[in-house]
Amino acid sequence: MKFFEKLLIANRGEIAIRVMRACRELDIDTVAIFSDADKNALHVRYADEAFHVGEAHPSKSYLNMERIIDIAKKCGAEAIHPGYGFLAENYRFAKFCLDEGVTFVGPQWKTIKAMGSKIGSKQMMRSAGVPVLPGTDSGITDIDEAKKVAAEIGYPVIVKASAGGGGIGMQIVNDEKSLEEAVTGSQRIAKSAFGDATVFIEKYLIKPRHIEFQILADEHGNAVHLYDRECSIQRRHQKLIEEAPSPIMTDELRERMAESALKVSEVSNYTNAGSVEFLYSQGNYYFMEMNTRLQVEHTITEFITGVDLVKQQIAIAAGESLSFEQKDLSIRGHAIECRINAEDPLNNFAADPGKILRYRSPGGPGIRVDSGIHMGYTIPPNYDSMIAKLCAWDSTRLDAIRRMRRAITEYIVLGIKTTLPLHYAIMNNQQFIEGNTHTHFLQEEHILKTLERYKRDEETRMQTLAGSFDQGKKVAAITAAVNTYIQQKKS
């Protein structure tokens, strides 16, 4: 069945290509948009059509709702897939699509709005009986009241932006004298980043695990979960490595957390794909937030379930019912995703945009690379630093780790600094191998202190493998010269 004739992808890079691949398999024509900085990007060439959307700055291009809708209507795209980031969780954009008669591939705008408020969503979950961390029930308006709540739940506490994500505006507070400064600082950052200065306080867990459940729900009342993912290894509250399933999961814990995740889906009237995020500590779990979009780490769920989440998104958006039930799903093996970022782990993860001089992605059994880059491509400084996702699958977790190690040693990216050496160091860390991870893993394990050696090893390996490029150029040059000589002799 062909769900749409033409679909516009309101995004860039690897996620744009990921959506286009699903569309190509579904025989749906694709439309790319691009900024000034992306005119030579791979997603532009991959699409069936491509349209300039604006200047390099996101506010002038990938966040320009009016321009994107105008392009969709002029080119005849019936649907828009937002990917993740940019407009993916912007309820105004989802409503704009609805008002203009263009299908938004995602949940309803009212659901996005409701779940986009961390305060509102937690109030909703608390009423539904889903475990929630203790903290303020509303935004902080009175610092004395905030101090009272913090004293009641006990330090440390964390100050968060209600409208935010990606760790922006988060501040950990260990004592009362630091609270007022943290609150005003978070409010200032939240206002600048999200246009909403509302912040709240909740109990801060010392070494929690970050576990999420993938949800699919259609417009006909059917909903399933596609099991769990562990996302505990992070830097600056942003994920670096994810795996599915979580290495600590038991049948009993999975059943309880899955039930809570489906309850979240039910009470929020959720449709399409989404992820329910929990913090887990000492046998207890707590609802954190719901991501009302496709996750970066959807790849590993696809590996262990065999379900193409993007195709499911498109089918649900077209009004189709889920073609399977919960009893039809099972976990097959173990998968790991490493986010390859153009940044320097030894320099506080500073972004390192620039030209890629040599590039070759790994392959072989159980390896998947989602990427929007290529040799000779110049990574612009205007967008997120993630340039690729490297995924490995095998029948057991240990085998998946071994496979990931092998894949990392095959990956060649020269000309910029990347997180590849860091991932290799983690894959060789004994605590990680044993599954003992938490959200402060990088700091606790002191991996960055031992990274220099792994970085040197990786660079040496890359340079050795990259030598094949130069050899290939020599062979090509000799072959071209011989062919020219032969042609001249014939003539």
Side-chain angles (χ1 to χ4, degrees):
M1 177 182 292
K2 192 170 185 177
F3 303 115
F4 301 103
E5 293 294 327
K6 187 180 290 187
L7 183 146
L8 183 147
I9 297 88
N11 218 299
R12 63 181 297 278
E14 61 86 15
I15 185 55
I17 294 174
R18 167 68 188 96
V19 176
M20 290 174 192
R21 283 172 169 162
C23 288
R24 186 160 291 182
E25 292 178 14
L26 293 171
D27 197 27
I28 298 172
D29 290 342
T30 57
V31 181
I33 58 173
F34 62 94
S35 68
D36 289 344
D38 278 337
K39 61 184 178 181
N40 295 317
L42 189 60
H43 77 277
V44 178
R45 299 166 186 255
Y46 191 92
D48 296 301
E49 299 177 65
F51 295 88
H52 179 250
V53 72
E55 299 171 22
H57 195 280
S59 65
K60 303 289 186 180
S61 51
Y62 299 107
L63 294 174
N64 189 336
M65 294 187 281
E66 291 79 10
R67 175 66 176 147
I68 292 170
I69 292 291
D70 183 58
I71 290 172
K73 294 179 74 173
K74 285 184 177 178
C75 74
E78 307 140 87
I80 293 178
H81 194 301
Y84 38 70
F86 294 128
L87 296 170
E89 292 180 283
N90 187 313
Y91 77 88
R92 294 180 181 86
F93 182 62
K95 186 177 187 300
F96 194 7
C97 289
L98 177 66
D99 293 342
E100 295 296 320
V102 180
T103 299
F104 178 80
V105 182
Q108 301 299 315
W109 71 267
K110 291 182 179 179
T111 302
I112 298 175
K113 183 178 182 181
M115 301 309 286
S117 167
K118 288 185 172 66
I119 293 174
S121 63
K122 287 185 177 182
Q123 290 173 341
M124 187 190 305
M125 295 313 133
R126 189 178 287 112
S127 299
V130 176
V132 176
L133 277 169
T136 51
D137 293 325
S138 58
I140 297 170
T141 57
D142 184 279
I143 192 63
D144 290 329
E145 180 63 23
K147 289 178 179 178
K148 180 181 177 183
V149 172
E152 288 175 353
I153 64 178
Y155 288 94
V157 298
I158 186 166
V159 182
K160 291 183 177 180
S162 178
I168 298 172
M170 287 186 184
Q171 294 206 45
I172 301 164
V173 183
N174 292 305
D175 51 58
E176 184 177 294
K177 65 180 181 180
S178 306
L179 185 60
E180 185 170 357
E181 182 180 346
V183 168
T184 55
S186 291
Q187 288 173 330
R188 184 174 59 253
I189 294 169
K191 179 65 177 178
S192 174
F194 310 115
D196 183 349
T198 306
V199 300
F200 65 100
I201 293 174
E202 67 182 15
K203 178 64 180 174
Y204 180 71
L205 302 177
I206 301 298
K207 290 185 181 181
R209 302 179 81 111
H210 185 147
I211 299 174
E212 62 191 23
F213 273 72
Q214 177 68 55
I215 297 295
L216 279 177
D218 63 28
E219 297 175 356
H220 309 283
N222 305 305
V224 297
H225 71 84
L226 288 88
Y227 302 103
D228 44 285
R229 297 186 291 251
E230 174 96 30
C231 309
S232 295
I233 297 182
Q234 306 174 2
R235 60 100 173 92
R236 296 198 294 268
H237 302 289
Q238 292 183 321
K239 303 164 188 172
L240 277 175
I241 295 175
E242 302 97 345
E243 53 183 311
S246 168
I248 65 152
M249 197 60 64
T250 64
D251 291 341
E252 185 271 337
L253 179 59
R254 178 174 288 123
E255 184 176 348
R256 286 196 292 126
M257 294 185 74
E259 183 180 350
S260 292
L262 289 170
K263 174 62 71 174
V264 173
S265 174
E266 178 187 346
V267 299
S268 63
N269 297 313
Y270 201 84
T271 56
N272 216 271
S275 294
V276 183
E277 303 203 348
F278 299 98
L279 287 177
Y280 172 88
S281 178
Q282 298 179 335
N284 299 310
Y285 65 90
Y286 308 92
F287 170 79
M288 183 167 57
E289 63 182 334
M290 186 172 195
N291 292 134
T292 53
R293 55 171 168 80
L294 187 72
Q295 290 281 83
V296 174
E297 58 271 19
H298 74 277
T299 51
I300 53 178
T301 294
E302 292 181 330
F303 254 144
I304 68 165
T305 63
V307 175
D308 188 312
L309 290 172
V310 177
K311 288 182 181 178
Q312 291 298 321
Q313 282 192 294
I314 294 170
I316 292 169
E320 294 293 308
S321 298
L322 289 174
S323 59
F324 48 84
E325 301 176 19
Q326 192 68 57
K327 63 181 177 62
D328 301 317
L329 297 168
S330 60
I331 296 174
R332 301 179 296 182
H334 197 93
I336 301 171
E337 176 182 278
C338 291
R339 299 191 188 191
I340 313 305
N341 299 335
E343 54 191 34
D344 184 1
L346 289 172
N347 186 24
N348 197 29
F349 293 95
D352 191 43
K355 186 175 182 179
I356 298 175
L357 303 179
R358 296 284 189 272
Y359 182 83
R360 186 181 188 278
S361 58
I367 296 300
R368 169 176 171 174
V369 179
D370 285 29
S371 169
I373 60 174
H374 53 81
M375 189 160 67
Y377 175 67
T378 298
I379 299 168
N382 315 87
Y383 312 113
D384 186 85
S385 63
M386 190 179 74
I387 56 175
K389 300 182 307 194
L390 174 59
C391 305
W393 175 92
D394 213 321
S395 55
T396 69
R397 183 174 184 271
L398 182 57
D399 287 334
I401 291 172
R402 289 168 173 160
R403 184 160 278 175
M404 179 62 81
R405 286 182 201 148
R406 185 266 296 170
I408 292 172
T409 64
E410 294 178 5
Y411 214 151
I412 302 172
V413 186
L414 294 177
I416 59 169
K417 295 180 176 67
T418 75
T419 50
L420 278 167
L422 173 64
H423 290 304
Y424 191 74
I426 294 172
M427 291 300 129
N428 285 279
N429 178 271
Q430 191 58 37
Q431 290 300 310
F432 174 80
I433 293 169
E434 294 175 5
N436 299 325
T437 61
H438 50 84
T439 55
H440 305 290
F441 183 83
L442 289 186
Q443 300 94 310
E444 292 287 321
E445 283 299 303
H446 307 293
I447 288 175
L448 296 180
K449 292 182 178 180
T450 62
L451 187 57
E452 190 66 55
R453 176 172 60 86
Y454 287 105
K455 186 171 182 284
R456 288 196 301 268
D457 291 347
E458 278 298 288
E459 288 176 347
T460 300
R461 225 180 341 254
M462 284 188 192
Q463 292 287 357
T464 300
L465 288 172
S468 62
F469 289 117
D470 297 328
Q471 186 65 30
K473 288 180 180 178
K474 291 176 183 177
V475 172
I478 293 170
T479 301
V482 170
N483 286 337
T484 300
Y485 175 77
I486 292 172
Q487 291 299 322
Q488 290 173 344
K489 282 293 184 181
K490 285 183 178 179
S491 60

